[in-house]
């Protein structure tokens, strides 16, 4: 019997936004470690040199191969240079995961132009720059590849108090479909991972316990769940999957819309259902 692998041994991967910011989820390091554990050499690109070097050290400590690249990937010229540097240190660029993104918060009615522009640049435009530049290189290589970006469930459902973030992540979900269609003929796949509320990691959620609350039917996703999804989409296990967004949210976005729950069940069973459970704002 053959042991199932990920098809990434001896391959090269680029992770954009590879570093860790204290108090945040740490999707970059988790993804670098997973790709390296699957046998890829990882070019760890980050705007912050210290963070890039830190994640490289973590990969090397775990027995993997990685090297740092420092660049601001919201800048088109720096993306070009960073991908050149990554390519020079990798056997080939076979996978690319873009982690970069973040939200600013305000009411839709009050958002400033500056916050709108920052959010679209950091969550959507830079993904376009990275996919375009890495995609071109994959076309030149002629051996296909996998592009992955972190979207969010906020790009699928409403993004209350962070409207630009939801709109930008919806843009990422659209972008992977277009790259999928245009680059499929070169064997290049493009997909997104849409995390639910990972917050600062959720790694302390006790093993074997389930949430059962009104937000997470299963349990909140952890950083490693997002990294596993990114690894899967980069791997040969996903070689016929493209243009898709893989939601990793512990089931949160599958919740029934009308507030049905155990308490309401007897009422509905007896046919006494109605609008009573829904609030109303008097005009
Ligand atoms: N944590 C959650 O609950 C959650 C939920 C949904 C989606 N996400 C998505 O996860 C991603 C962020 O994950 P995180 O919080 O673990 O990462 P983070 O923001 O803590 O770290 C990302 C890394 O990217 C680097 N970076 C930032 N801007 C850069 C730039 N212009 N060029 C190069 N590097 C840059 C930072 O230095 C940092 O090391 C975002 O795309 C976010 O939208 C997170």
């Amino acid at each position: 019997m053959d042991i199932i692998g990920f098809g990434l041994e001896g391959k090269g991967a680029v992770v954009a936004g590879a570093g860790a910011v204290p108090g945040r989820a740490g999707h970059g390091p988790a993804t670098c470690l997973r790709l390296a554990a699957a046998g890829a050499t990882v070019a760890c690109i980050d705007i912050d040199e210290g963070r890039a070097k830190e994640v490289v050290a973590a990969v090397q400590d775990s027995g993997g191969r990685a090297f740092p690249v420092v660049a601001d990937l919201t800048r088109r010229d720096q993306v070009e240079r960073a991908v050149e540097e990554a390519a020079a240190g990798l056997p080939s660029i076979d996978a690319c995961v873009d982690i970069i993104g973040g939200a600013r918060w305000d009411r839709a009615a009050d958002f400033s132009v500056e916050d709108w522009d920052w959010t679209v640049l950091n969550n959507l435009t830079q993904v376009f720059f990275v996919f375009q530049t890495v995609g071109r290189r994959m076309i030149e290589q002629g051996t296909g590849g996998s592009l992955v970006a972190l979207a969010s469930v906020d790009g699928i459902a409403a993004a209350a108090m962070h409207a630009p973030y939801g709109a930008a992540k919806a843009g990422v979900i659209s972008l992977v479909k277009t790259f999928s269609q245009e680059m499929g003929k070169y064997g290049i796949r493009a997909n997104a991972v849409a995390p639910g509320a990972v917050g600062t990691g959720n790694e302390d959620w006790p093993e074997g316990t389930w949430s059962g609350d009104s937000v997470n039917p299963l349990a909140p996703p952890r950083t490693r769940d997002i990294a596993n999804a990114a690894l899967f989409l980069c791997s040969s296990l996903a070689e016929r999957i493209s243009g898709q967004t893989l939601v990793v949210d512990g089931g949160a976005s599958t919740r029934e819309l009308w507030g049905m729950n155990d308490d309401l069940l007897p009422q509905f069973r007896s046919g006494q259902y109605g609008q009573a459970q829904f609030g109303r704002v008097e005009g």
Side-chain angles (χ1 to χ4, degrees):
M1 188 182 64
D2 292 337
I3 302 295
I4 296 174
F6 291 96
L8 288 166
E9 262 177 63
K11 301 283 174 85
V14 169
V15 175
V21 177
R24 293 175 58 96
H27 294 309
T31 301
C32 293
L33 285 161
R34 281 295 196 262
L35 289 166
T41 303
V42 187
C44 300
I45 310 180
D46 206 282
I47 195 170
D48 184 285
E49 187 177 4
R51 286 182 205 142
K53 286 185 170 164
E54 219 171 296
V55 62
V56 166
V59 170
Q60 290 171 345
D61 285 352
S62 75
R65 287 180 300 271
F67 60 92
V69 177
V70 180
D72 177 355
L73 298 178
T74 62
R75 299 264 311 274
R76 190 74 181 72
D77 55 334
Q78 295 200 25
V79 175
E80 295 274 356
R81 196 253 307 147
V83 173
E84 280 294 319
E85 261 183 59
L90 294 171
S92 50
I93 303 185
D94 305 287
C96 168
V97 182
D98 193 330
I99 305 290
I100 299 162
R104 288 187 175 177
W105 299 84
D106 210 337
R107 291 184 183 81
D110 300 328
F111 254 106
S112 67
V113 172
E114 198 251 321
D115 282 344
W116 172 273
D117 287 346
W118 181 90
T119 310
V120 172
L121 177 64
N122 280 274
N123 289 279
L124 178 58
T125 312
Q126 63 78 22
V127 175
F128 177 68
F129 292 160
V130 169
F131 275 21
Q132 193 184 41
T133 311
V134 173
R136 278 189 196 140
R137 186 158 282 270
M138 286 174 169
I139 292 171
E140 280 166 25
Q141 286 175 183
T143 49
S146 171
L147 304 167
V148 176
L150 289 200
S152 168
V153 290
D154 296 346
I156 298 169
M161 311 300 165
H162 53 324
Y165 179 80
K169 293 299 192 182
V172 170
I173 290 167
S174 168
L175 210 56
V176 298
K177 294 178 198 172
T178 306
F179 272 81
S180 164
Q181 180 170 354
E182 291 193 17
M183 295 197 171
K185 63 184 171 214
Y186 304 106
I188 299 166
R189 304 180 293 105
N191 293 287
V193 177
V198 182
T200 56
N202 294 326
E203 300 298 332
D204 55 353
W205 191 270
E207 290 296 331
T209 60
W210 312 110
S211 162
D213 66 24
S214 60
V215 174
N216 297 289
L218 189 57
R222 303 151 298 188
T223 305
R224 65 180 180 273
D225 298 309
I226 310 308
N228 285 340
L231 170 60
F232 167 69
L233 290 172
C234 288
S235 79
S236 56
L237 297 177
E239 63 192 355
R240 289 292 182 275
I241 299 176
S242 192
Q244 304 304 306
T245 294
L246 180 51
V247 174
V248 183
D249 69 348
S253 59
T254 62
R255 275 174 302 144
E256 185 266 351
L257 288 175
W258 314 119
M260 173 53 88
N261 56 33
D262 283 331
D263 297 339
L264 289 169
L265 184 58
Q267 192 183 324
F268 274 71
R269 268 191 176 146
S270 66
Q272 293 165 351
Y273 49 84
Q275 297 294 309
Q277 71 270 31
F278 302 124
R280 174 187 295 186
V281 178
E282 299 298 342

